[in-house]
Amino acid sequence: MSAALAAVETFAAEGRDDAVVALVSKVYPMRSHTVAAEGGAAGVVPGGADTAEQHVADTLRGGAGLGHDDAVRFVVDRAPAELARLERLGMPWSRTADGDPAVRRFGGMTNPRTWFAADKTGFHLLHTLFQTTLREPSIRRYDEHVVLDLLLSDAPSSDAPSSGASRPSSGAGSQSPADASRAARGVVAYDQQRGEPVTILAAAVVLATGGYARAWGTSTNAGIVTGDGLSMALRAGLPLRDLEMVQVHPTCLPGSGILITEAARGEGGVLVDAAGERYLADYGLGPVTPVGEPAARQMELGPRDKLSQAFWHADRAGRTIPTRDGGVVHLDLRHLGKAVIDERLPLVAGLARRFGGVDPVREPIPVRPAAHYTMGGIVTTAHGQVLDAAGAPVAGLFAAGECASTGLHGANRLGSNSLVETLVVGRAAGTLAAAPSSPSEPLSSSGPPSTAARPASSAPPSSAVPSSQSQDPGEAALVDRARARAEHWLAMRGRGTESPAEIRRELGTVLDAEVGIFRDADGLARAAATLEDLHARYQDVRVADTAAVFNTDWSQVLELGAMLAVARGAVAAAIGRTESRGAHQRLDHPHTDDVARHSLVTLDAAGAVEVRWQPVDAAVSAAAAATPGKDHR
Ligand SMILES: Cc1cc2nc3c(=O)[nH]c(=O)nc-3n(C[C@H](O)[C@H](O)[C@H](O)COP(=O)(O)OP(=O)(O)OC[C@H]3O[C@@H](n4cnc5c(N)ncnc54)[C@H](O)[C@@H]3O)c2cc1C
């Protein structure tokens, strides 16, 4: 939504009255997963003790060598202005008694810098952006449209879901499938309400499809966070970076995985084991801080990965409390008192009562870790420009938010850095996408040249995208390709024998068991074998429902395919990363390599997973070279 608004602002500044932005979402936009974000968004409050330099340093430290200095500075420098701008659009930030934005501490921060709206920050942020888009007539909404594929000129035609073993490899010298001539031309989607495929041709596409942490069985993410955009990029021959970097949040409700935000610890909540002891001190997070007086980067406010690792050790040492959903520790907020809990943590209190069965004013909350945030994503510059496997920009293609790997988070995201990333990078991507100098020329023959996006053709009830009536051979070929892609996916309906629910269950179970807080070669090999088996079974997956309208059987199978594709990449990269760094901890390789390298996952022509390794310095140079203008910071 940030990207859409930025594009509209760019159009307005240039007097392009007839330009249109298509906002496409598989759910009603207010159901996007951002609505669930609780704790807040990071940004230095001007005039306070905190500094941009410190925000940069904390973020790079958290990123454990995989963060890009330029990308971090880009977001940090623009964060305060984006957060203030959001307020002008209606965001109700919590305030101090003096009227300044109230900020709280999150893990890994030297100074408090997380702006918040109680513990419903994502809800208010999404609402603010959404209601602003409603005021813009040039933003056309395509709600409940599932995007099936990207349309790129010269895109490879191979289907990802073919057979082929995962083949991790190493060495930066591998062949790349780069094709610098490719450009984004739109998307092919499916209108769930009308039961029709739709081709949306566009001069530029911004992917903001979210992460992939729902692939794990125990996850804080909603059911829609299934890596769709990443799997589309992979099918289009584009690389995905650092897929193995999956953040496990230390404090979630057992069973459901519902998040109890880090803000609860930022406000002074403490973690205790079965014996009531502040166990974190025994796992390198001490010295113990006084109860209710959290201190920077210590104990409960240590980095998330360290807290999850401490839980893992405590669990194995028999220090957790057994439940039917595994061992738990207690998050104790009682000393904060009812008034603070009601004012600062009302959502946490409600979740604990409704889904945890405890009242945090009177009882501690049982918590254990769950998959939470995926650092891996589509390779982009700090501005969200997508790069291909050779590091060249793909004209007119952008990605922002959790689906992108800009270099901000590195190997481990600091809490509250991601909401602000969606604002800053979304705006940058939208501005570039709308710029007349955008490398992607608008489609020439149908519609005015300044039309950034327009609904192209709707299909007849026969469920195929019709052939183009256009006289432009390029556009006609694109629409024909869109029709072929839609038919490919639609052909899954009413076919198959393999239970999608069973594939889904096995996927979540194996990722929880083998690709969690700690990994090793044997476990990852088991995960890879299971995923290849699931991938093979997916080729014959059953879609019982043949309905055209709101066929959730089918759309969930599409999401399952995306999760499988991304999970295969994540496991292959985890096998190849024989070191411990950030969110990727190997029991059999506890050291950290001297040279920090990114993993780059692509698919070969047969659909097998390939992994290449790229030194971080080379990735930073590629991003800088692909960034227009002198001051790319
Ligand atoms: C419980 C929880 C709490 C969090 N709290 C915080 C916090 O306090 N601070 C913070 O900084 N971060 C937080 N995060 C992380 C942060 O919320 C996310 O990283 C961020 O909201 C992701 O935003 P996004 O715009 O990238 O994706 P999303 O908000 O997930 O939106 C993705 C959009 O893409 C659409 N989409 C996806 N696939 C398709 C498709 N195939 N076709 C059509 N549309 C599609 C969806 O419909 C949706 O509209 C939290 C995460 C969780 C899980």
Side-chain angles (χ1 to χ4, degrees):
M1 287 184 206
S2 274
L5 290 169
V8 169
E9 280 174 18
T10 306
F11 295 152
E14 290 162 6
R16 292 151 75 190
D17 296 339
D18 53 354
V20 172
V21 176
L23 191 59
V24 188
S25 173
K26 67 180 174 181
V27 295
Y28 187 72
M30 271 307 294
R31 288 189 55 224
S32 302
H33 192 58
T34 294
V35 79
E38 299 173 15
V44 172
V45 177
D50 196 18
T51 63
E53 284 310 313
Q54 201 59 64
H55 190 178
V56 168
D58 290 346
T59 304
L60 287 172
R61 190 187 312 109
L66 293 190
H68 295 190
D69 185 73
D70 278 9
V72 174
R73 283 179 191 283
F74 184 77
V75 172
V76 164
D77 288 348
R78 285 157 182 78
E82 280 304 323
L83 299 176
R85 173 173 174 272
L86 210 54
E87 181 165 69
R88 290 196 293 280
L89 298 177
M91 176 83 185
W93 293 118
S94 294
R95 294 266 166 194
T96 65
D98 297 335
D100 294 327
V103 284
R104 55 170 50 128
R105 283 186 200 282
F106 261 55
M109 282 181 184
T110 307
N111 299 311
R113 68 172 69 94
T114 300
W115 301 39
F116 57 93
D119 57 358
K120 299 177 183 171
T121 310
F123 170 83
H124 290 298
L125 185 151
L126 194 59
H127 222 295
T128 303
L129 289 176
F130 183 51
Q131 72 192 11
T132 308
T133 65
L134 296 179
R135 290 201 294 266
E136 296 292 347
S138 52
I139 295 178
R140 268 187 220 159
R141 295 226 319 282
Y142 294 75
D143 296 348
E144 296 174 323
H145 280 58
V146 178
V147 175
L148 303 171
D149 262 312
L150 276 172
L151 291 174
L152 298 184
S153 57
D154 303 323
S157 58
S158 87
D159 297 330
S162 60
S163 61
S166 164
R167 288 197 284 110
S169 67
S170 61
S174 311
Q175 283 292 316
S176 88
D179 177 355
S181 69
R182 285 199 287 157
R185 293 302 190 203
V187 297
V188 56
Y190 190 81
D191 180 346
Q192 301 258 57
Q193 291 185 31
R194 295 175 54 165
E196 296 173 345
V198 175
T199 306
I200 300 174
L201 298 181
V205 174
V206 181
L207 288 167
T209 49
Y212 51 94
R214 189 61 261 180
W216 274 252
T218 308
S219 168
T220 64
N221 285 208
I224 58 171
V225 188
T226 48
D228 302 15
L230 284 87
S231 79
M232 286 175 218
L234 204 52
R235 282 198 293 278
L238 297 170
L240 301 180
R241 186 158 70 193
D242 298 334
L243 289 180
E244 70 279 23
M245 295 300 176
V246 178
Q247 183 175 81
V248 178
H249 198 290
T251 57
C252 310
L253 294 180
S256 65
I258 290 172
L259 178 79
I260 300 297
T261 173
E262 194 162 312
R265 286 174 277 127
E267 295 295 342
V270 295
L271 286 166
V272 295
D273 65 10
E277 280 173 22
R278 307 263 307 272
Y279 65 97
L280 295 175
D282 299 337
Y283 301 104
L285 286 149
V288 176
T289 49
V291 170
E293 294 178 29
R297 307 210 310 271
Q298 268 173 257
M299 294 295 287
E300 286 79 6
L301 287 187
R304 281 181 188 177
D305 55 336
K306 299 282 180 264
L307 263 70
S308 292
Q309 290 160 25
F311 174 91
W312 188 93
H313 287 297
D315 198 35
R316 268 144 196 83
R319 297 177 69 172
T320 59
I321 304 147
T323 74
R324 62 175 186 181
D325 297 308
V328 299
V329 289
H330 277 153
L331 175 63
D332 198 345
L333 307 180
R334 288 174 292 182
H335 50 278
L336 299 181
K338 187 172 183 325
V340 170
I341 292 175
D342 285 350
E343 188 210 325
R344 294 290 178 98
L345 302 167
L347 182 62
V348 163
L351 292 172
R353 286 185 194 115
R354 236 168 293 140
F355 300 102
V358 297
D359 179 353
V361 175
R362 280 183 277 278
E363 302 153 282
I365 309 172
V367 290
R368 58 177 280 112
H372 179 58
Y373 185 88
T374 45
M375 275 73 73
I378 301 163
V379 184
T380 73
T381 65
H383 295 246
Q385 168 70 62
V386 172
L387 304 178
D388 68 15
V394 180
L397 186 61
F398 304 88
E402 198 169 336
C403 71
S405 169
T406 62
L408 172 66
H409 306 301
N412 189 31
R413 172 194 71 125
L414 287 197
S416 74
N417 266 353
S418 42
L419 283 181
V420 78
E421 179 188 33
T422 66
L423 300 173
V424 173
V425 182
R427 162 172 288 275
T431 306
L432 281 181
S437 58
S438 169
S440 174
E441 291 300 320
L443 293 170
S444 54
S445 69
S446 51
S450 58
T451 297
R454 60 189 166 73
S457 27
S458 289
S462 68
S463 81
V465 178
S467 293
S468 171
Q469 304 299 311
S470 167
Q471 298 305 305
D472 179 84
E475 185 168 335
L478 274 178
V479 175
D480 285 346
R481 182 183 296 156
R483 179 183 55 189
R485 295 309 302 157
E487 282 174 353
H488 167 79
W489 296 114
L490 286 165
M492 297 176 90
R493 303 197 297 206
R495 287 221 320 241
T497 59
E498 291 286 344
S499 159
E502 187 53 28
I503 296 175
R504 175 73 192 89
R505 193 189 61 74
E506 289 182 40
L507 170 67
T509 302
V510 78
L511 292 179
D512 279 354
E514 313 294 4
V515 199
I517 298 167
F518 284 103
R519 301 132 183 217
D520 65 19
D522 290 346
L524 289 170
R526 278 193 295 277
T530 303
L531 288 181
E532 288 315 311
D533 173 55
L534 297 180
H535 174 66
R537 284 159 54 191
Y538 183 79
Q539 308 311 307
D540 185 36
V541 66
R542 185 174 68 241
V543 183
D545 192 349
T546 55
V549 173
F550 282 112
N551 186 336
T552 51
D553 248 14
W554 176 59
S555 55
Q556 285 176 7
V557 162
L558 295 179
E559 292 176 334
L560 176 59
M563 287 189 284
L564 268 174
V566 179
R568 288 173 77 216
V571 170
I575 290 172
R577 191 177 284 282
T578 48
E579 62 161 348
S580 292
R581 184 185 294 280
H584 175 76
Q585 294 293 314
R586 291 276 303 246
L587 291 167
D588 48 350
H589 295 283
H591 72 284
T592 302
D593 287 347
D594 292 341
V595 177
R597 296 175 307 159
H598 290 298
S599 64
L600 291 174
V601 163
T602 48
L603 294 180
D604 72 10
V609 177
E610 293 188 320
V611 187
R612 294 185 303 125
W613 297 92
Q614 181 184 40
V616 169
D617 289 352
V620 170
S621 303
T627 302
K630 288 194 187 110
D631 181 16
H632 59 269
R633 288 183 174 183

